[in-house]
């Protein structure tokens, strides 16, 4: 049954209309709450932290419907894929997984397959999923997670595909349940959507208009987390530094961050920062409050002003570097990581070398690097691209070599120092050890008793491994 399909012209709209905060959208009636009795669900999450956080809500909703979680997809009665649209390879992974479930459904046709998240906001994907209606039962988007119980129940009752995707500018839905993955650290949404429209990026279409949550709702969520014993919050948004610009209340990200710091929660992080909106007040707050972690993810994307302009990034290499040095100067021990895209349409060898120069100058503590991937309906997708894929791959390899060198140097610098680590659980690589992250977001495996899980402890770093650090308690 078709309800609503995505539309790019709707998704592109940005009006001055006030964003509605809806507190009663989630309805769980008696019938819906019994639908999953005796049944299991398995959820696979692709993409960024926003999706991870959405999946925590989806899990809670499914459990409100009496489904129980299983880690074994082969046994699940309901399989839900929370998808990402940022690059082509995220797409491919999802279609590979749909193929696997399709195969499972040949033996167990009652399995319910639901596809949600950013890919479901894409017009061509929804058309493709509709052609798979024998296998894909529910298609829902990023704006209507709260309707999931109704959509699943309709798909079961009517035994036909249900598609509901909205491409509206978006409301803010409060009071959704959550089943958090960790008992110690939590993601807290502070804003949804994005209005920056970088020319390569699909997010403004898949996640809608920038909508900041009300300060009181954010602070209440954090107060509740503190009461539950949480040690760390990560404030989430596609562009957190623009927080508040869409609210009538006249509040900035720096002011919000300061209020969050004053709640006393032990650790605060925030992602992602766009350099454009990162102002001096923000740097001052990070420097002033010890519970604001000195870890900043500051995507540069390219070191060439020509490419930055084509990307619609609204800063130059020079202004980026000025901001970078201001942060390094004022925030003690600041760790700065970045995102870089290589092979943007028309990127020349000279443009690329300018990116390498910026990396050499900033000596990033870490970076996520990507080959440009054209996204349907974005402006960059129709720019002429004369750089062969082979050349892009070579550039990525050259870039990664440099990034890895500085990453290693950054890790080696902390060897023999004592750093605070929030111990989160047993180490994945060695059951005898625990693992956690430093204030500067470095993964550490620590020789310590499991009694330390959930605590922030001082750790002496003994060795830098390729992707992590080893350490011992420093008591
Ligand atoms: N192609 C490649 N990388 C992209 N990113 C966003 N859109 C694209 C795209 N079309 C990268 C950016 C962003 C990160 C989350 O993903 O570097 O910061
Ligand atoms: Fe992927 Fe962007 Fe959607 Fe996150 S918001 S899941 S990165 S497309």
């Amino acid at each position: 049954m078709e309800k609503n399909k995505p539309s790019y012209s709707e998704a592109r709209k940005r009006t001055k209309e006030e964003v509605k905060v809806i507190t009663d959208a989630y309805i769980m009636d008696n019938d819906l709450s019994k639908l999953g009795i005796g049944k299991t669900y398995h959820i696979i999450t692709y993409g960024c932290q926003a999706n991870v956080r959405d999946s925590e809500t989806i899990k809670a909703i499914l459990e409100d419907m009496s489904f129980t979680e299983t880690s074994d997809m082969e046994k699940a009665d309901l399989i839900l894929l929370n998808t990402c649209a940022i690059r082509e390879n995220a797409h491919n992974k999802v279609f590979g997984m749909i193929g696997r479930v399709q195969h499972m459904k040949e033996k167990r046709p009652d399995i319910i397959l639901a596809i949600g998240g950013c890919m479901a906001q894409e017009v061509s994907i929804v058309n493709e999923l509709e052609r798979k209606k024998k296998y894909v039962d529910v298609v829902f988007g990023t704006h209507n997670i709260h309707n999931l119980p109704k959509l699943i129940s309709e798909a079961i009752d009517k035994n036909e595909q249900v598609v509901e995707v909205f491409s509206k500018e978006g409301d803010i839905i409060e009071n959704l349940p959550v089943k958090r993955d960790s008992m110690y650290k939590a993601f807290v949404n502070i804003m949804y959507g994005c209005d920056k429209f970088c020319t390569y990026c699909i997010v403004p279409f898949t996640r809608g208009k920038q909508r900041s949550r009300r300060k009181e709702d954010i602070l209440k969520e954090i107060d509740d987390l503190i009461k539950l014993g949480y040690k760390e919050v990560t404030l989430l948004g596609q562009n957190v530094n623009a927080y508040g610009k869409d609210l009538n209340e006249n509040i900035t990200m720096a002011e919000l961050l300061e209020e969050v710091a004053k709640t006393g929660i032990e650790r605060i992080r925030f992602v992602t920062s766009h350099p454009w909106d990162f102002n001096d007040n923000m740097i001052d707050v990070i420097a002033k409050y010890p519970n604001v972690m000195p870890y900043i993810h500051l995507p540069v994307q390219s070191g060439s002003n020509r490419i930055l302009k084509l990307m619609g990034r609204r800063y130059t290499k020079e202004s980026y570097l000025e901001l970078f040095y201001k942060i390094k100067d004022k925030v003690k021990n600041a760790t700065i990581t970045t995102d870089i895209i290589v092979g943007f349409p028309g990127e020349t060898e000279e443009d690329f070398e300018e990116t390498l120069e910026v990396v050499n100058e900033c000596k990033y503590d870490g970076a996520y690097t990507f080959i440009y991937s054209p996204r349907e309906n974005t402006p960059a997708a129709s720019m002429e691209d004369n750089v062969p894929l082979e050349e892009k791959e070579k550039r990525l390899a050259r870039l990664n070599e440099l990034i890895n060198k500085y990453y290693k140097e950054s890790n080696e610098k902390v060897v023999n120092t004592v750093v605070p680590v929030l111990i989160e659980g047993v180490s994945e690589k060695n059951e005898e050890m625990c693992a956690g992250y430093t204030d500067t977001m470095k993964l550490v495996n620590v020789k310590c008793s499991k009694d330390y899980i959930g605590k922030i402890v001082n750790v002496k770093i003994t060795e830098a491994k390729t992707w992590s650090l080893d350490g011992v308690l420093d008591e």
Side-chain angles (χ1 to χ4, degrees), residues 86-87 200-201 299 301 339-341 370-375:
I86 201 106
R87 283 172 294 274
Y200 51 80
C201 189
Q301 312 296 4
D339 289 344
I340 296 171
I341 297 176
F370 314 100
I371 290 182
Y372 166 73
S373 171
R375 303 286 68 215

Side-chain angles (χ1 to χ4, degrees), residues 21-37:
V21 179
I22 302 176
T23 53
D24 57 0
Y26 177 57
I27 297 161
M28 179 59 60
D29 67 24
N30 205 24
D31 287 345
L32 293 175
S33 73
K34 291 187 185 144
L35 202 76
I37 291 177

Side-chain angles (χ1 to χ4, degrees), residues 30 67 87 105 130 143 185 206 299 304 347 364 432 462:
N30 205 24
F67 285 96
R87 283 172 294 274
K105 281 185 106 168
E130 281 184 326
H143 297 291
K185 59 177 192 179
T206 60
S304 151
E347 183 190 67
Y364 290 109
E432 307 286 295
T462 52

Side-chain angles (χ1 to χ4, degrees), residues 48 85-88 198-203 238 272 297 299-301 311 313 338-342 344 368-375 378 380:
C48 66
I86 201 106
R87 283 172 294 274
E88 189 63 29
C198 299
T199 58
Y200 51 80
C201 189
I202 199 162
V203 173
Q238 299 300 337
T272 285
H297 186 62
V300 66
Q301 312 296 4
M311 288 177 161
R313 290 291 287 176
T338 201
D339 289 344
I340 296 171
I341 297 176
V342 302
F344 188 80
Y368 297 100
T369 55
F370 314 100
I371 290 182
Y372 166 73
S373 171
R375 303 286 68 215
T378 57

Side-chain angles (χ1 to χ4, degrees), residues 245-446:
K245 288 189 165 182
D246 54 303
L247 291 172
N248 291 331
E249 286 164 46
N250 209 1
I251 174 165
T252 64
M253 178 59 185
E255 286 157 355
L256 176 75
L257 190 60
E258 181 152 30
E259 297 226 20
V260 175
K262 285 180 181 161
T263 63
I265 183 121
E266 290 183 56
R267 286 181 155 195
I268 302 155
R269 304 186 190 278
F270 50 90
V271 281
T272 285
S273 295
H274 188 301
W276 170 253
D277 296 301
F278 209 121
N279 61 21
D280 290 0
N281 295 347
M282 197 48 200
I283 304 176
D284 291 340
V285 174
I286 303 168
K288 178 172 170 192
Y289 290 91
N291 56 347
V292 179
M293 297 296 100
Y295 164 73
I296 294 145
H297 186 62
L298 197 66
V300 66
Q301 312 296 4
S302 169
S304 151
N305 284 341
R306 195 180 73 82
I307 296 293
L308 285 172
K309 196 152 187 220
L310 286 173
M311 288 177 161
R313 290 291 287 176
R314 312 176 195 209
Y315 55 82
T316 59
K317 171 175 97 177
E318 292 74 22
S319 63
Y320 179 92
L321 289 174
E322 192 185 324
L323 172 65
F324 180 92
Y325 285 120
K326 242 192 238 170
I327 296 172
K328 282 276 179 189
D329 205 37
K330 287 196 176 166
V331 180
K332 214 170 76 194
N333 285 334
T335 292
I336 302 184
T337 56
T338 201
D339 289 344
I340 296 171
I341 297 176
V342 302
F344 188 80
E347 183 190 67
T348 62
E349 172 64 24
E350 291 73 40
D351 291 320
F352 174 64
E353 280 172 14
E354 286 196 70
T355 299
L356 296 181
E357 274 165 33
V358 168
V359 172
N360 275 323
E361 180 145 359
C362 295
K363 303 181 172 52
Y364 290 109
D365 297 279
Y368 297 100
T369 55
F370 314 100
I371 290 182
Y372 166 73
S373 171
R375 303 286 68 215
E376 185 176 273
N377 197 53
T378 57
S382 47
M383 291 179 192
E384 202 198 353
D385 188 357
N386 52 8
V387 190
L389 182 62
E390 209 187 3
E391 174 58 30
K392 295 186 185 198
E393 282 168 351
K394 277 193 202 143
R395 285 183 195 166
L396 183 69
R398 283 162 68 196
L399 174 65
N400 282 345
E401 201 177 314
L402 204 56
I403 292 291
N404 290 346
K405 175 180 137 195
Y406 291 120
Y407 173 76
K408 200 159 167 253
E409 278 180 16
S410 159
N411 279 348
E412 277 162 0
K413 247 187 263 162
V414 287
V415 174
N416 289 326
T417 67
V418 174
V419 289
V421 175
L422 169 56
I423 305 287
E424 291 174 18
V426 175
S427 162
E428 275 181 19
K429 63 158 213 186
N430 180 347
E431 269 188 35
E432 307 286 295
M433 291 173 106
C434 289
Y437 285 87
T438 64
D439 52 347
T440 54
M441 201 66 177
K442 290 179 187 294
L443 175 62
V444 188
N445 290 301
V446 188

